[in-house]
Amino acid sequence: MSAAALLRLARQRCISLPTASSRALSTSARRAADPWLLPNTPEHLEKTTSPPDAPAPTPLPRPGESIEKMRARLVYQSRKRGTLESDLLLSTFAKERLGTMDEAELREFDKLMDEPDWDIYYWATGKKAPPERWAGSRVLEKLREHVRNEGRVVRRMPDLS
């Protein structure tokens, strides 16, 4: 299409073409603020904070569950949390540590898994202080050690095998 034909078409449709002296106007809608806040920002911390007086979540009863089944369930649950950040931290922790945990530590980890994702993430990274019920937790301390990653290990989601 020639330049003259393009100009005629623009005039017919009342489209203004940018010239050297005019500024091109965008016809796209104005972009709204992003509804998904970035983790580790003050706004995200504020919006994802559970009330300090919130009661502990009630775990599902699992009568007769063997230690091996509990360990397998916790490996799966640690990977399928709902947020990529929590999935990565908890699944790599589970892969490295669940095999050596005794029954009491596994039950404690099971209770921790009932807490909200962002709370676990911020407690583990030290951005927020955990509530009193988690103050002396051995499992949470091991998770914090894992998160510090002092060996600078490059982590990726472990395979579900």
Side-chain angles (χ1 to χ4, degrees):
M1 186 178 275
S2 71
L6 190 59
L7 260 170
R8 271 193 309 275
L9 183 64
R11 283 188 193 125
Q12 288 172 353
R13 294 189 179 174
C14 298
I15 299 172
S16 62
L17 295 175
T19 62
S21 63
S22 71
R23 190 181 86 166
L25 298 175
S26 172
T27 59
S28 61
R30 187 166 205 187
R31 190 171 171 184
D34 191 352
W36 304 107
L37 300 172
L38 291 174
N40 295 313
T41 60
E43 296 85 15
H44 191 265
L45 270 165
E46 182 181 322
K47 290 206 176 206
T48 58
T49 299
S50 296
D53 57 346
T58 306
L60 293 173
R62 293 183 173 90
E65 184 179 50
S66 68
I67 297 298
E68 289 75 29
K69 278 193 177 185
M70 180 194 300
R71 190 172 276 127
R73 175 177 55 80
L74 290 173
V75 165
Y76 183 82
Q77 284 180 335
S78 66
R79 182 183 172 105
K80 301 294 183 182
R81 296 293 301 174
T83 62
L84 182 60
E85 294 83 357
S86 295
D87 289 352
L88 184 60
L89 290 181
L90 292 170
S91 65
T92 55
F93 176 77
K95 182 180 180 189
E96 291 176 15
R97 302 284 181 102
L98 282 186
T100 61
M101 286 186 181
D102 59 20
E103 184 176 354
E105 288 176 319
L106 286 172
R107 294 204 186 285
E108 189 177 343
F109 186 65
D110 192 10
K111 286 181 187 175
L112 181 65
M113 298 295 283
D114 291 331
E115 297 285 351
D117 284 355
W118 285 115
D119 285 344
I120 296 171
Y121 176 80
Y122 285 128
W123 298 339
T125 58
K127 298 284 183 181
K128 290 193 315 189
E132 190 63 36
R133 65 181 175 268
W134 291 105
S137 170
R138 294 183 311 179
V139 171
L140 188 55
E141 188 52 44
K142 286 181 179 183
L143 181 59
R144 284 181 177 154
E145 180 185 317
H146 176 77
V147 168
R148 282 192 294 269
N149 195 11
E150 292 172 352
R152 302 289 182 228
V153 176
V154 176
R155 295 193 170 127
R156 68 171 195 86
M157 294 293 256
D159 297 326
L160 281 176
S161 50

